[in-house]
Amino acid sequence: MEYEWKPDEQGLQQILQLLKESQSPDTTIQRTVQQKLEQLNQYPDFNNYLIFVLTKLKSEDEPTRSLSGLILKNNVKAHFQNFPNGVTDFIKSECLNNIGDSSPLIRATVGILITTIASKGELQNWPDLLPKLCSLLDSEDYNTCEGAFGALQKICEDSAEILDSDVLDRPLNIMIPKFLQFFKHSSPKIRSHAVACVNQFIISRTQALMLHIDSFIENLFALAGDEEPEVRKNVCRALVMLLEVRMDRLLPHMHNIVEYMLLRTQDQDENVALEACEFWLTLAEQPICKDVLVRHLPKLIPVLVNGMKYSDIDIILLKGDVEEDETIPDSEQDIRPRFHRSRTVAQQHDEDGIEEEDDDDDEIDDDDTISDWNLRKCSAAALDVLANVYRDELLPHILPLLKELLFHPEWVVKESGILVLGAIAEGCMQGMIPYLPELIPHLIQCLSDKKALVRSITCWTLSRYAHWVVSQPPDTYLKPLMTELLKRILDSNKRVQEAACSAFATLEEEACTELVPYLAYILDTLVFAFSKYQHKNLLILYDAIGTLADSVGHHLNKPEYIQMLMPPLIQKWNMLKDEDKDLFPLLECLSSVATALQSGFLPYCEPVYQRCVNLVQKTLAQAMLNNAQPDQYEAPDKDFMIVALDLLSGLAEGLGGNIEQLVARSNILTLMYQCMQDKMPEVRQSSFALLGDLTKACFQHVKPCIADFMPILGTNLNPEFISVCNNATWAIGEISIQMGIEMQPYIPMVLHQLVEIINRPNTPKTLLENTAITIGRLGYVCPQEVAPMLQQFIRPWCTSLRNIRDNEEKDSAFRGICTMISVNPSGVIQDFIFFCDAVASWINPKDDLRDMFCKILHGFKNQVGDENWRRFSDQFPPPLKERLAAFYGV
């Protein structure tokens, strides 16, 4: 029997009244409305009223009816499983009967409601939904067809996975051919829905679509010149995804597709142009890119370069005509959330200090107020990746354009030229070198351009060439660049301040101790910026100060520098409340400063130490409450605890033994014991780093806890969590050095995992190095326990340590290996050449370590005899042979 329901007139009026009030701008009224709506949820037929207003009450205005539907949608999200059956059925039938409402707003609202019900697991419990919507597509009535398609598009977006599973008996086998028929429909809106629906199934390589892939591509080509921008946008989007998924099917048409995408990248509609521009980004990641695009570069490069100009809209949004805004406070939503990078312990290397990890500071990101992806950013990113594909072969297409742009009288054009120069910096660096002696001074001049947007992009571009600047004599470019950048840090425009601070941080990383002669001047500027900056840029300033401390290290430890730097930092520190997220960057900054200043930080350490311990304690307490009663207490933000643990590590590293009294007077070890067992990997990671640093600084306080800590360290040697595993491994090595022979009972808890990790394929370099050092250190203090395993790890052990610098950690690890070889010489026989190579990696070992090497090398040589040794050493590469002969006489 059909469910018959009629509203009660008084109830209906009450709900309409609420709907009207909820459109009021007054927040207090809105809050009471929220509470009343929550109360009404207790009545089983409240939702009937809502659907009634949406679908039947045509006398009401559309915004009110739509709002009623959206409130119903939220109820479906929150309480659908509690709806009585009758109510559910009534809502479903009303939705299907009104999907063709004459109002686009009501149709869209009904569509949203349908997909919300469907995604609540109801596709299974609403078997007639998809067949019904598909049959409505054939309706003569445009509104019905459009409404049904709108709903189907939302369902395809929200429930793509389940549509392609056996749960529903594979409806896509019918739906996809059906959608393809509508690519040729007379209405642009319907064509656009049809392409958008099919597009949902490209990336997942859905079987039903792959069966019809040729007809899909053919239909796309037919829509190439569609007059509706939304259709063109969906065609471009489809081709970009097909590039990743079905390159084989596009290859035969590649020439035409590239020509088409060139046109679309210049589309009058910026949304279409942006979708098309993604094509170049995606293509650049494909191995065939180089061959496919090479003949199109003369056309493509000018198009991308042209797309890198600010549009008129951009300039309005960026307030490009506002030159001075330094006194205007920031609005809070401008400030993006920051992500704290927890401490990871890593080794120093001999190479040029060119980092392997990608620095994320380099991203093309110069106008974050519209940090939405736009054509300018996409074009710049595409040029950046293409520069990395073609390297210097790109320059003949770029240099003629650059000449014109960089010296152009119009600032917008000149600005885009500077962005181009920055975008190609990474890929075309070698080929650019001959031009840099002329370009860098020109850019340094542009730093004082009268347009703020020119000054800010110039900061970024110069930072992309910082590596080269630093490689030249300092007076030539470094000094003038630094002088001008420091002026920009004090610019009267906030965007310029921000760009200059970020660029300066990059310069600091490249220049390191080259900056020492200018420290007074640099600190002067950075400290002055403290008094000048609004909220958002202060956060970037902390980073620039922290990076400075990392870069110049102990050179910062001079009374006059400390006097300049510490008072403003401590003043901010005292102003901020414990709940304030601005503590994160400040704590990170202080951690770098404490490590650099070492004993110079002593006068400041006590309040800083205390507060960090409090932050950890508060967070743990809040987490316990939340675990016990999640509905009463909200979960804490554990970042407070992570950053505090990291600053404690910085203090321990900087102050060394001076931290002993602070540790003695606090319960930090109890807190660490809890942190080491936290569910969140980053908390464990930071607590193991702190454990290692405290072990080095004041082992007498750590030692009583070792029996509790070691089993936890053993269970965290799980390479699934790389950084946790890395820091746990490092801490075990530090503990073993302090424990000596007393480490013996704990070896079985950790040795097997460590040997397994060092033999795993694809283990990151840092983890391999730390694992090798810890195995060596365990063997140093307990050779009898570790030496029997020698054969199982000697080879990867040698290869992972040959590239790290001579230091204390390497020293103790090699002493361990030598001791183990003397206990178990047969364990090294098969891999002796690797041991020789590792020994040769030492530049100057301490005398007694050199004697140990000598003894082992000569012992081996005497054991095998001269003839065999000659044959063996003939396999050595010449440099290895020469070094061993020169240093060890073998």
Side-chain angles (χ1 to χ4, degrees):
M1 108 135 210
E2 179 67 4
Y3 178 69
E4 263 310 308
W5 178 84
K6 293 272 182 292
D8 162 68
E9 193 47 43
Q10 208 183 342
L12 186 58
Q13 285 316 314
Q14 190 192 346
I15 284 172
L16 284 173
Q17 179 61 33
L18 270 180
L19 291 169
K20 293 272 190 286
E21 282 172 9
S22 75
Q23 296 170 57
S24 147
D26 185 340
T27 45
T28 28
I29 298 185
Q30 281 179 16
R31 226 171 284 132
T32 37
V33 172
Q34 262 341 92
Q35 286 162 350
K36 285 187 190 156
L37 288 173
E38 273 310 306
Q39 288 159 5
L40 285 170
N41 265 316
Q42 275 123 43
Y43 299 101
D45 65 352
F46 170 47
N47 292 301
N48 285 358
Y49 282 92
L50 292 175
I51 189 82
F52 181 86
V53 174
L54 172 65
T55 59
K56 290 233 197 307
L57 205 59
K58 312 258 166 146
S59 54
E60 269 308 316
D61 62 287
E62 286 175 15
T64 302
R65 289 171 57 200
S66 170
L67 185 62
S68 181
L70 294 176
I71 292 171
L72 175 55
K73 174 207 71 161
N74 291 335
N75 288 347
V76 168
K77 264 195 172 142
H79 319 290
F80 192 66
Q81 62 289 354
N82 309 333
F83 284 17
N85 283 345
V87 175
T88 305
D89 295 340
F90 182 54
I91 293 173
K92 285 178 176 178
S93 71
E94 280 302 299
C95 280
L96 285 176
N97 294 336
N98 290 276
I99 190 72
D101 192 284
S102 59
S103 146
L105 179 63
I106 302 299
R107 289 201 297 274
T109 310
V110 172
I112 290 171
L113 189 50
I114 288 177
T115 185
T116 309
I117 296 171
S119 60
K120 281 306 244 186
E122 286 296 306
L123 269 176
Q124 294 96 297
N125 310 339
W126 194 354
D128 54 340
L129 172 64
L130 293 172
K132 177 83 177 155
L133 288 175
C134 282
S135 70
L136 290 175
L137 294 181
D138 297 321
S139 161
E140 291 298 303
D141 174 48
Y142 167 79
N143 292 336
T144 305
C145 174
E146 198 277 323
F149 238 136
L152 279 165
Q153 182 178 334
K154 293 183 183 86
I155 292 171
C156 290
E157 286 165 8
D158 293 345
S159 309
E161 272 106 71
I162 193 167
L163 288 174
D164 187 31
S165 66
D166 288 325
V167 183
L168 298 176
D169 198 20
R170 305 222 169 250
L172 291 178
N173 293 339
I174 298 157
M175 287 162 67
I176 283 182
K178 179 108 190 158
F179 295 154
L180 289 173
Q181 295 167 9
F182 284 86
F183 278 34
K184 302 198 165 63
H185 195 277
S186 59
S187 149
K189 189 103 198 279
I190 305 259
R191 293 197 297 273
S192 176
H193 280 313
V195 184
C197 281
V198 181
N199 279 359
Q200 295 306 318
F201 304 102
I202 299 176
I203 290 293
S204 56
R205 300 181 164 79
T206 303
Q207 188 58 43
L209 175 55
M210 292 303 133
L211 289 171
H212 299 279
I213 194 77
D214 291 324
S215 124
F216 174 45
I217 290 173
E218 211 173 301
N219 276 301
L220 279 177
F221 289 165
L223 291 176
D226 202 292
E227 79 271 9
E228 170 64 31
E230 198 57 29
V231 175
R232 296 198 300 272
K233 186 177 99 181
N234 282 328
V235 170
C236 290
R237 183 172 291 172
L239 288 170
V240 171
M241 291 189 285
L242 285 168
L243 211 46
E244 287 183 51
V245 175
R246 290 308 299 262
M247 178 63 95
D248 57 322
R249 283 295 191 265
L250 296 187
L251 261 180
H253 315 282
M254 211 42 161
H255 179 74
N256 294 337
I257 294 176
V258 169
E259 294 276 316
Y260 173 67
M261 285 300 192
L262 269 169
L263 276 177
R264 288 286 77 84
T265 307
Q266 305 169 75
D267 201 287
Q268 290 308 293
D269 184 299
E270 179 166 344
N271 293 321
V272 180
L274 178 57
E275 275 308 328
C277 195
E278 296 280 353
F279 180 82
W280 313 114
L281 262 181
T282 306
L283 184 57
E285 282 158 15
Q286 305 292 330
I288 59 141
C289 171
K290 204 162 178 178
D291 302 333
V292 166
L293 270 188
V294 75
R295 51 196 273 209
H296 299 280
L297 289 178
K299 279 191 183 164
L300 171 60
I301 299 304
V303 168
L304 291 177
V305 166
N306 197 37
M308 287 161 76
K309 287 205 292 278
Y310 277 125
S311 67
D312 300 345
I313 306 280
D314 289 340
I315 294 170
I316 294 166
L317 288 172
L318 285 169
K319 307 196 175 59
D321 51 346
V322 178
E323 296 301 325
E324 298 193 15
D325 60 357
E326 63 174 341
T327 54
I328 304 165
D330 298 330
S331 74
E332 287 309 301
Q333 66 263 31
D334 284 348
I335 298 172
R336 284 190 291 193
R338 293 180 72 270
F339 297 102
H340 169 71
R341 274 205 290 253
S342 310
R343 256 177 119 91
T344 312
V345 185
Q347 294 299 322
Q348 298 280 307
H349 291 91
D350 279 335
E351 300 103 274
D352 288 348
I354 296 171
E355 296 285 315
E356 286 195 7
E357 287 101 66
D358 283 348
D359 274 356
D360 47 10
D361 311 339
D362 261 2
E363 291 302 301
I364 294 187
D365 184 19
D366 48 309
D367 36 40
D368 9 346
T369 26
I370 38 172
S371 63
D372 316 320
W373 198 226
N374 55 20
L375 185 60
R376 166 188 166 90
K377 290 197 174 165
C378 190
S379 305
L383 189 60
D384 185 359
V385 286
L386 287 172
N388 277 299
V389 170
Y390 288 100
R391 301 279 160 189
D392 298 343
E393 293 165 39
L394 207 61
L395 289 177
H397 306 286
I398 292 242
L399 289 170
L401 299 169
L402 264 177
K403 277 207 181 68
E404 205 174 304
L405 299 171
L406 287 171
F407 300 93
H408 200 282
E410 279 179 59
W411 75 265
V412 176
V413 181
K414 175 174 164 181
E415 193 277 345
S416 72
I418 298 171
L419 173 58
V420 169
L421 194 55
I424 61 172
E426 196 186 345
C428 305
M429 184 53 103
Q430 277 320 105
M432 286 306 294
I433 287 174
Y435 305 96
L436 293 179
E438 190 188 339
L439 282 172
I440 298 294
H442 175 63
L443 286 172
I444 292 174
Q445 266 186 319
C446 294
L447 281 175
S448 42
D449 193 278
K450 61 179 196 306
K451 290 304 287 183
L453 288 171
V454 175
R455 300 197 297 276
S456 60
I457 196 62
T458 307
C459 291
W460 177 75
T461 292
L462 278 163
S463 75
R464 302 267 288 179
Y465 290 96
H467 189 74
W468 180 83
V469 167
V470 171
S471 72
Q472 304 298 302
D475 283 351
T476 330
Y477 308 107
L478 178 61
K479 205 172 163 183
L481 170 59
M482 194 184 57
T483 314
E484 285 306 309
L485 260 184
L486 289 170
K487 287 184 195 157
R488 293 293 64 86
I489 285 179
L490 303 178
D491 201 278
S492 56
N493 179 279
K494 289 194 287 192
R495 173 172 294 100
V496 180
Q497 296 171 355
E498 177 186 4
C501 253
S502 301
F504 196 72
T506 307
L507 186 64
E508 290 169 339
E509 281 173 355
E510 292 290 351
C512 291
T513 49
E514 295 276 336
L515 296 179
V516 172
Y518 316 108
L519 264 173
Y521 183 46
I522 293 171
L523 285 169
D524 242 353
T525 305
L526 296 179
V527 168
F528 188 67
F530 257 114
S531 57
K532 193 175 164 71
Y533 276 15
Q534 297 295 341
H535 186 178
K536 180 181 172 187
N537 286 349
L538 262 182
L539 307 184
I540 299 163
L541 181 62
Y542 294 140
D543 180 56
I545 291 173
T547 309
L548 180 67
D550 294 338
S551 302
V552 300
H554 65 90
H555 297 284
L556 200 56
N557 189 9
K558 289 214 171 108
E560 63 271 29
Y561 298 159
I562 297 176
Q563 233 1 81
M564 292 168 79
L565 183 58
M566 288 309 297
L569 284 174
I570 295 297
Q571 187 201 350
K572 293 286 177 201
W573 167 265
N574 291 331
M575 279 165 51
L576 291 175
K577 294 195 179 58
D578 276 354
E579 305 58 61
D580 195 327
K581 286 203 164 102
D582 284 6
L583 271 178
F584 299 164
L586 179 55
L587 285 160
E588 278 176 41
C589 168
L590 280 170
S591 174
S592 295
V593 170
T595 310
L597 291 185
Q598 298 172 346
S599 60
F601 198 77
L602 271 174
Y604 309 96
C605 65
E606 192 162 352
V608 173
Y609 179 90
Q610 240 0 90
R611 185 168 191 181
C612 288
V613 174
N614 286 345
L615 281 169
V616 175
Q617 190 152 9
K618 269 172 121 165
T619 312
L620 285 171
Q622 179 75 19
M624 280 173 72
L625 289 173
N626 168 256
N627 280 338
Q629 299 167 287
D631 38 350
Q632 302 281 292
Y633 297 97
E634 57 179 296
D637 180 346
K638 287 190 178 168
D639 278 351
F640 284 104
M641 171 157 78
I642 295 166
V643 182
L645 289 166
D646 285 348
L647 176 44
L648 287 168
S649 280
L651 288 176
E653 196 182 327
L655 300 173
N658 287 318
I659 201 171
E660 182 272 321
Q661 289 169 334
L662 294 172
V663 174
R665 294 200 298 264
S666 70
N667 61 341
I668 186 65
L669 287 153
T670 321
L671 298 176
M672 273 165 59
Y673 181 63
Q674 291 173 273
C675 292
M676 288 156 79
Q677 299 174 76
D678 199 274
K679 304 196 284 292
M680 190 173 175
E682 290 79 4
V683 176
R684 301 200 301 277
Q685 172 184 338
S686 291
S687 59
F688 293 143
L690 178 56
L691 173 59
D693 283 316
L694 288 180
T695 298
K696 288 169 81 167
C698 54
F699 189 62
Q700 68 268 42
H701 297 305
V702 179
K703 195 171 180 182
C705 312
I706 290 299
D708 293 324
F709 288 174
M710 281 308 299
I712 301 175
L713 286 163
T715 51
N716 276 282
L717 295 177
N718 166 10
E720 243 182 283
F721 299 105
I722 294 288
S723 301
V724 179
C725 182
N726 180 65
N727 289 2
T729 303
W730 174 74
I732 292 167
E734 291 298 341
I735 289 168
S736 61
I737 291 292
Q738 300 288 341
M739 292 283 283
I741 192 68
E742 293 176 63
M743 194 68 185
Q744 206 174 343
Y746 305 112
I747 302 273
M749 295 180 186
V750 298
L751 185 58
H752 280 278
Q753 295 96 300
L754 293 169
V755 172
E756 206 171 293
I757 290 167
I758 204 168
N759 283 294
R760 257 173 95 250
N762 305 329
T763 305
K765 200 166 73 177
T766 305
L767 179 56
L768 277 178
E769 291 164 355
N770 278 316
T771 306
I773 283 171
T774 294
I775 291 174
R777 291 178 146 191
L778 290 170
Y780 180 50
V781 296
C782 299
Q784 301 300 334
E785 282 65 28
V786 186
M789 308 268 296
L790 194 54
Q791 202 180 338
Q792 295 178 42
F793 61 74
I794 184 70
R795 189 170 179 166
W797 191 94
C798 292
T799 48
S800 56
L801 290 188
R802 60 189 297 267
N803 289 327
I804 69 168
R805 280 195 210 153
D806 297 6
N807 64 15
E808 285 303 315
E809 298 190 7
K810 186 172 173 176
D811 179 272
S812 56
F814 270 84
R815 286 170 194 275
I817 266 303
C818 293
T819 315
M820 288 188 278
I821 290 174
S822 60
V823 171
N824 175 17
S826 61
V828 72
I829 296 294
Q830 286 172 316
D831 297 307
F832 199 70
I833 185 167
F834 291 93
F835 176 72
C836 296
D837 178 54
V839 166
S841 76
W842 277 86
I843 311 291
N844 36 14
K846 293 184 183 154
D847 290 344
D848 57 335
L849 181 60
R850 184 187 302 242
D851 295 343
M852 292 167 100
F853 292 158
C854 247
K855 212 161 147 192
I856 294 175
L857 292 169
H858 283 279
F860 184 83
K861 182 177 170 177
N862 299 340
Q863 204 183 347
V864 296
D866 284 349
E867 186 48 44
N868 284 334
W869 173 262
R870 193 163 46 251
R871 239 179 291 161
F872 173 67
S873 61
D874 278 345
Q875 313 161 29
F876 291 179
L880 173 58
K881 214 173 178 170
E882 286 156 25
R883 284 197 85 140
L884 289 178
F887 280 86
Y888 303 101
V890 291

